Amino acid sequence: MAMNLFFKPTLGGATRAATIARIMSRHAMSGLAESLFGRFRRTADAAASASFIMSIAPRHLREALQELGPSFIKLGQLLSTRADIFPKPFIDELSLLQDQVPAIPFAEVREIIESELGPIETLFRSIEPEALAAASVAQVHRAVSVEGLPLAVKIVRPGIRKTIQKDIRLMYRMADRLESLFEAARLVGTVHIVEEFERTVFRELDMFIEAGNMERFAQNFRDIEEIRIPTVYWNMTSRSVLVMEFIEGVRMDQVAAIRAMGIDPEEIANIGLRSFSRQLMVHGFFHADPHPGNTIVMPDGRVGLVDFGIVGYLDPLLMKTVGMLFLGFAEHDYEMVVDALVRAGILSEAQANHPEFFSDFMDACEPFYGRSLRTITARDVYDQIMQLVLRHRIRLPRNILLILKTIIQTEALGKILGSHASLLEQAKPFARRLVRKGLDATTLSRNVSRDIRDAYGYVRDIPKWVSRILKQAAEGDGRMHLHHSGFEALQSGLEKGVNRLIIGLIVAASTVSGALVLNSSQTVFEVTIDLWGIHRLTATGVLGLTGYVIATVLGVWLFVSIVRSKKM
């Protein structure tokens, strides 16, 4: 396909753009490539533009993103959480994106470690040259500390930041191009999606941030025996290298190996569900990438969590919302679910009370009536919610979408282990405690104390505010801004009345002056003519007649306007 690179990227960007266009064409997306890089005319109709974009086969989109490399794989993984935008076939397909790539040579690994931390021999007794795991942005090697402790060393791939930065610049241009061409892309906010991707991907590339996430998780789960979080070795950690304790065990999806250790896989599934419920509804800080490789079953039956590059945060209001959603679905109290969405600002009162929405919502909830929690999967609830979201164009907060995606992954781990445990069943006690938390004496006392403290602060500041006002007044710097409202109608009425009065005065003046001029015995510039019975024409006569005409026209116009206003 001939490309003229309509949006004019830089020389390096042009080469990359041409590569993207070829890969898109190879995966049956030449139409999209032409719209991005060719001279494609704008499609103003939202339905038509959405139809054009959705004509792309989900599998072709996934395969193209996979071939485009790390930046686009990460973007696709982010898009897989946006079920409020993309239909289910796209979400399912994008969730299959694989982030495994060949490992970089150990010589490059050694160079990175030594450039940031010093000679490798002073850091480790040994380090294995073969990578345990290799992803698009980092890889992990096993090592032994000088003291003989087992370690895991995570190294960010060299040059990956620059590669992703270049691709992001191109993504912005592509997103802007899509919004200029397609109304559907503008409504979705493709530029905003790229902004969100840029914000999250660079956090994942900073090992200091991941180490901080691990420390916070370790603190949150310090009293929970069934969960193990690796220890971070800060003295051997930098922006591109993270050294942590190595967790011995097997991946959560190795069911035969788990049974061989004498551990019940169903209990492991329950530990995982309890852990996730605690993350959401006790700490408001959750692991957002719980795939089997990040969940390790230890020989003593504990579950170790690793890879904290992607995490989610919940503020107190959103935590309460999540608790009400879980408890509402668990207890079939769907008014609580709607109330939670309204409190969080996800739904407006008008939307919640709209007959069509309420009818659709009850239809979505009807399949769950009377069923035990063990027969209701999170996937069932998720699918019903997403249908409602798409139908009524509800924009969900990013963290809610991340939670929904993580819920599906967490429950899928349970299915791998052969468990029939329900996330709703495991989360119900945590949700109940969270919802009732604001009603216990301790919390009420804490809230009252906070309000009293705030009120005391305001009272304490009053003398300072009064002093400042008096000082400004004394120095002539005081300003007072007054804003009146409700006088617009009065002002408009007065203006109309004054205008009519002025016109009335003009009519009267024109009539009187015309009469005086016509009755005057003096004449100016007399002309003798013979036309329509007129034998003599004077300038004074013309002026008098003109005054009468003006008075008549204005008088008629004033009369008509008063009659039309119905204020005779």
Side-chain angles (χ1 to χ4, degrees), residues 45-46 91 136 144 163 176 206 228 249 251 262 302 315 370 382 504 541 544 558:
D45 181 61
I91 299 300
S136 58
V144 178
T163 299
D176 188 61
D206 192 330
R228 183 82 175 93
R251 288 165 51 113
R302 291 183 295 170
D315 59 39
Y382 172 87
L558 182 61

Side-chain angles (χ1 to χ4, degrees), residues 112-123:
I112 295 168
I113 294 174
E114 293 190 338
S115 67
E116 301 218 0
L117 299 173
I120 203 166
E121 290 78 15
T122 64
L123 299 170

Side-chain angles (χ1 to χ4, degrees), residues 35 42 49 113 127 172 205 237 265 269 392 430 444 488:
S35 68
R42 186 178 191 276
S49 59
I113 294 174
I127 180 169
Y172 271 118
L205 292 173
T237 294
H392 292 275
F430 294 95
L444 286 173
E488 292 81 3

Side-chain angles (χ1 to χ4, degrees), residues 510 513-514 517-518 524 538-550:
S510 299
S513 61
V517 171
L518 287 173
V524 177
T538 63
T540 50
V542 171
L543 290 173
L545 186 62
T546 302
Y548 272 120
V549 171
I550 292 172

Side-chain angles (χ1 to χ4, degrees), residues 166-181:
K166 287 180 180 178
D167 278 347
I168 285 176
R169 283 199 291 268
L170 199 54
M171 287 176 191
Y172 271 118
R173 287 174 174 159
M174 292 163 67
D176 188 61
R177 174 80 168 149
L178 283 173
E179 287 195 3
S180 70
L181 290 174

